[in-house]
Amino acid sequence: MNKKGLSILMRTKMRPGNDPSKLSSFSPLSNEINQMMTDPPRKQRSIDDSRSNFSASGNHYERNFDIVKESMGLAISLNKTESLDVVLDDFSEGYFSLSNENRKKLVTVLAKEYDLNRIQVRELLKQYLGLELRSGNEGESSNVDDENMFSTFYRIERNLRQALKPTYNVLFERLNNHPAGLKFLSLLRADILSFLGEENIPSLRALDSCLKEKLSAWLSPAVLELHQITWDDSASLLEKIVTYEAVHPISNLLDLKRRLGVGRRCFGYFHPAIPGEPLIFIEVALLKNVAQTIQEVLLDVPSIPEHEAACALFYSISSTQPGLAGINLGKFLIKRMITLVKRDMPQVSTFATLSPIPGFMQWLLSKLASQSVMAKVDNMEQPTGGPGSAFQENLLEPDEERMLKNSSPVTYAGKNGMEVMLNLLTSKNYEWTSSAELLSALKPPLMRLCARYLLQEKKRGKALDSVANFHLQNGAMVERLNWMADRSEKGLHQSGGIMVNYVYRLEYIEQYAQSYFSTGHIHASCDIRHYIMKEPEETTGSTGEEPALQ
């Protein structure tokens, strides 16, 4: 084993929470290699590790809450520049020494006690509303009077803008200018989001909104650095790629080396204030055609010569900072990556993804379960077989229901096709995937319902599925559903093994992104829309688009 491989191995083994029982591999490699990489709970682990590495002093005891609270107050109020760095260091180290309960308590204090001064805002508003705005028809008024009037307006408006800034803005801005302060703010926001997940506190919601706005401005593409990550990069950077890979876990060193080798690309966005750690990275496979299964991309098979590639397939996009949730760095990363690949390989004409559908199975099982309950209630209330509830919906077509009933063993029997489907999909160890007959019976309804989920199920007017929403707002279109494209436990759990290709058509990216943003319209190929049999007048968004992938 070379020095780089040994270094990555040692770093990985030294990280907390490694569990050899979670290893997976796509090729028959030796046990020694297989034990090198593990698949721990990445998000929580990355936060914990960042916290433990954040403090240079290495303090592991919990400081007194009041002392940390006092250092936070000093970090906001202190005017002496020469002492500010020491105070900010003391506060950041003290914050991460606190228990989770005390961190929540401290952040709540920050949100409430260092909010904006609403009494001052009300007074300024009263002054502003008390001013008389000239109609412009008083010809006798002098220019001096006009200047004095507008001068008063400008002064109150300036004071009002200042008063509407919460005091904790000062802390955020000072930390952003402090070494390692941007990293601290990212970890702080990760905590805030966690606290909001437990309890929706309005003051914390306002604090999060303010911090998110600040981070969005400070992490603009103008200050981010795009870097192609290769095997020649440092072992510490490669170890972070292994740690933060959130879509398809890297199983071992050979897997990592292949993802960075011939026919593959990995690009990351870096910020100067967080050196050696990508904020987000994307993995790309160079192929002849758009892949229909993840096995085509991840299996250890020879790559094609790069000059034969006609497709750049994005198969994994991973964010490394939970505290940057909701800040769409991926949009800029994808566009920059497309530009670079197109520049270096003009023959590449197709830019597509092979994406998971993380919310599909949860949505479908919930629908099936609720319909089953409704059916039972209706049977109890109307034993003679009267009309069902207005909320009842048969998710299956007659042919689909008949096939499911005829194909299912007695152990999965139900009163109707939906109940049979629910029993099959919730079976232990996904036993239905081992039967060709059951796969054949499940494919038509699952593909049709998956198309419905992607194109019709909305949240606040946008796609319900998080990955779909991400790509659609970036200007992609839904191109093709792929049956049994991911047979891993995660793939079956999330989407019944179905994956989707989103395609970025260069000439339409901005148009599609704008129409999705303004109206929620989802552009999709005719093949996808065929699954849900949309009415002709509703399919006009597909006209003029390129034909479906072959």
Side-chain angles (χ1 to χ4, degrees):
M1 184 188 303
N2 60 24
K3 289 183 179 180
K4 184 181 291 290
L6 181 60
S7 177
I8 298 172
L9 165 62
M10 294 305 296
R11 287 173 176 274
T12 305
K13 283 189 172 181
M14 290 171 62
R15 295 180 74 85
N18 289 348
D19 182 0
S21 67
K22 295 183 180 180
L23 293 172
S24 62
S25 179
F26 291 101
S27 56
L29 300 167
S30 65
N31 290 334
E32 290 81 2
I33 295 293
N34 277 335
Q35 290 173 358
M36 290 179 186
M37 299 299 170
T38 62
D39 182 22
R42 284 171 171 70
K43 279 194 176 181
Q44 187 57 48
R45 194 185 73 172
S46 63
I47 297 173
D48 292 341
D49 289 350
S50 296
R51 287 172 181 157
S52 63
N53 294 331
F54 189 87
S55 171
S57 65
N59 292 334
H60 296 293
Y61 63 89
E62 180 171 0
R63 293 192 190 177
N64 181 278
F65 173 83
D66 290 330
I67 293 176
V68 181
K69 178 183 173 184
E70 183 181 354
S71 71
M72 181 176 74
L74 280 173
I76 294 172
S77 62
L78 194 67
N79 290 322
K80 293 183 178 179
T81 307
E82 61 273 15
S83 305
L84 189 56
D85 284 344
V86 176
V87 172
L88 289 170
D89 280 336
D90 188 60
F91 165 61
S92 58
E93 291 170 13
Y95 176 82
F96 285 127
S97 78
L98 297 176
S99 66
N100 188 68
E101 182 181 353
N102 276 337
R103 286 201 303 271
K104 182 177 181 179
K105 183 179 174 183
L106 186 68
V107 169
T108 305
V109 168
L110 178 65
K112 291 182 177 179
E113 295 187 11
Y114 294 91
D115 199 355
L116 56 86
N117 186 338
R118 289 183 173 80
I119 295 176
Q120 183 185 7
V121 171
R122 286 173 62 89
E123 288 302 317
L124 287 168
L125 285 172
K126 286 179 182 178
Q127 294 177 32
Y128 194 79
L129 294 172
L131 294 176
E132 289 188 14
L133 185 63
R134 296 185 184 278
S135 63
N137 296 325
E138 301 176 16
E140 66 277 6
S141 61
S142 67
N143 287 335
V144 174
D145 290 340
D146 287 342
E147 287 298 323
N148 289 336
M149 177 188 65
F150 283 114
S151 177
T152 305
F153 272 115
Y154 297 149
R155 175 177 53 79
I156 297 177
E157 288 164 356
R158 182 183 64 247
N159 293 339
L160 190 55
R161 281 194 296 272
Q162 190 62 34
L164 286 170
K165 293 180 181 178
T167 308
Y168 47 68
N169 256 10
V170 175
L171 179 64
F172 296 158
E173 289 167 359
R174 287 180 169 182
L175 281 166
N176 181 51
N177 293 319
H178 181 68
L182 187 64
K183 177 71 172 179
F184 174 86
L185 289 171
S186 171
L187 295 169
L188 175 66
R189 183 163 183 258
D191 275 348
I192 295 171
L193 291 172
S194 174
F195 301 148
L196 285 170
E198 299 168 2
E199 183 181 1
N200 189 6
I201 304 171
S203 57
L204 272 189
R205 184 68 64 189
L207 180 73
D208 172 63
S209 179
C210 178
L211 181 52
K212 178 184 175 182
E213 185 179 331
K214 291 287 185 185
L215 289 170
S216 297
W218 294 330
L219 295 172
S220 69
V223 298
L224 296 176
E225 300 169 357
L226 184 69
H227 172 65
Q228 182 179 342
I229 300 163
T230 70
W231 183 252
D232 293 329
D233 281 305
S234 67
S236 62
L237 172 56
L238 298 187
E239 185 263 343
K240 288 181 173 66
I241 297 300
V242 174
T243 300
Y244 290 124
E245 166 56 61
V247 184
H248 302 293
I250 297 173
S251 55
N252 46 56
L253 282 178
L254 295 183
D255 187 12
L256 172 64
K257 195 166 186 178
R258 182 170 183 274
R259 296 194 194 195
L260 302 176
V262 177
R264 299 292 181 267
R265 296 288 188 275
C266 182
F267 296 95
Y269 255 151
F270 293 76
H271 192 282
I274 310 178
E277 185 167 348
L279 303 182
I280 187 172
F281 61 93
I282 184 170
E283 295 173 68
V284 185
L286 301 172
L287 307 169
K288 285 186 177 181
N289 301 298
V290 178
Q292 297 186 54
T293 71
I294 194 61
Q295 287 76 20
E296 297 174 51
V297 179
L298 298 181
L299 278 174
D300 192 16
V301 294
S303 301
I304 64 166
E306 291 193 355
H307 69 269
E308 295 181 9
C311 167
L313 186 90
F314 329 144
Y315 62 94
S316 179
I317 302 177
S318 300
S319 174
T320 68
Q321 309 295 318
L324 301 185
I327 300 173
N328 191 357
L329 301 178
K331 174 182 180 180
F332 306 110
L333 178 59
I334 288 173
K335 288 184 177 180
R336 288 283 305 279
M337 185 277 301
I338 289 176
T339 302
L340 284 181
V341 172
K342 195 69 179 172
R343 184 195 67 189
D344 296 341
M345 288 177 285
Q347 81 277 11
V348 173
S349 58
T350 302
F351 295 89
T353 79
L354 183 61
S355 298
I357 312 168
F360 172 53
M361 198 54 65
Q362 181 183 3
W363 169 83
L364 178 58
L365 293 179
S366 175
K367 295 281 282 186
L368 290 170
S370 63
Q371 292 301 321
S372 180
V373 170
M374 284 184 200
K376 288 178 182 177
V377 171
D378 283 345
N379 288 336
M380 291 173 60
E381 294 178 351
Q382 300 174 12
T384 57
S389 165
F391 296 101
Q392 261 193 267
E393 174 191 12
N394 192 347
L395 298 174
L396 300 173
E397 302 290 342
D399 289 346
E400 296 170 349
E401 184 155 13
R402 187 164 48 254
M403 278 191 70
L404 280 170
K405 284 185 173 181
N406 294 339
S407 306
S408 301
V410 177
T411 50
Y412 300 115
K415 293 179 181 178
N416 54 48
M418 288 191 295
E419 203 167 303
V420 172
M421 192 177 191
L422 180 62
N423 293 337
L424 284 170
L425 295 178
T426 54
S427 63
K428 272 188 175 182
N429 302 320
Y430 307 100
E431 294 169 357
W432 56 275
T433 60
S434 303
S435 165
E437 191 175 7
L438 288 176
L439 283 170
S440 178
L442 282 167
K443 180 178 178 179
L446 282 179
M447 294 286 273
R448 180 178 57 79
L449 290 168
C450 189
R452 165 181 164 176
Y453 170 73
L454 289 175
L455 301 188
Q456 295 180 328
E457 298 299 321
K458 302 288 186 76
K459 180 181 180 181
R460 300 192 186 99
K462 301 297 187 291
L464 179 60
D465 188 78
S466 58
V467 174
N469 183 59
F470 170 79
H471 286 294
L472 292 169
Q473 70 179 346
N474 292 341
M477 66 175 290
V478 190
E479 184 70 30
R480 181 176 65 196
L481 289 181
N482 301 296
W483 176 245
M484 287 294 103
D486 184 359
R487 288 175 172 265
S488 69
E489 182 177 351
K490 181 180 178 182
L492 293 170
H493 174 73
Q494 288 186 337
S495 61
I498 302 172
M499 298 187 79
V500 58
N501 297 122
Y502 298 100
V503 171
Y504 285 84
R505 307 214 186 269
L506 302 187
E507 65 272 32
Y508 292 118
I509 287 178
E510 294 302 330
Q511 176 188 332
Y512 288 178
Q514 182 57 39
S515 65
Y516 180 72
F517 175 78
S518 58
T519 67
H521 178 71
I522 296 174
H523 292 266
S525 69
C526 294
D527 283 355
I528 289 285
R529 293 191 178 277
H530 177 72
Y531 281 114
I532 54 176
M533 298 167 62
K534 298 284 283 184
E535 294 298 325
E537 62 268 18
E538 293 183 275
T539 61
T540 53
S542 296
T543 58
E545 294 171 358
E546 296 184 23
L549 297 170
Q550 301 300 314

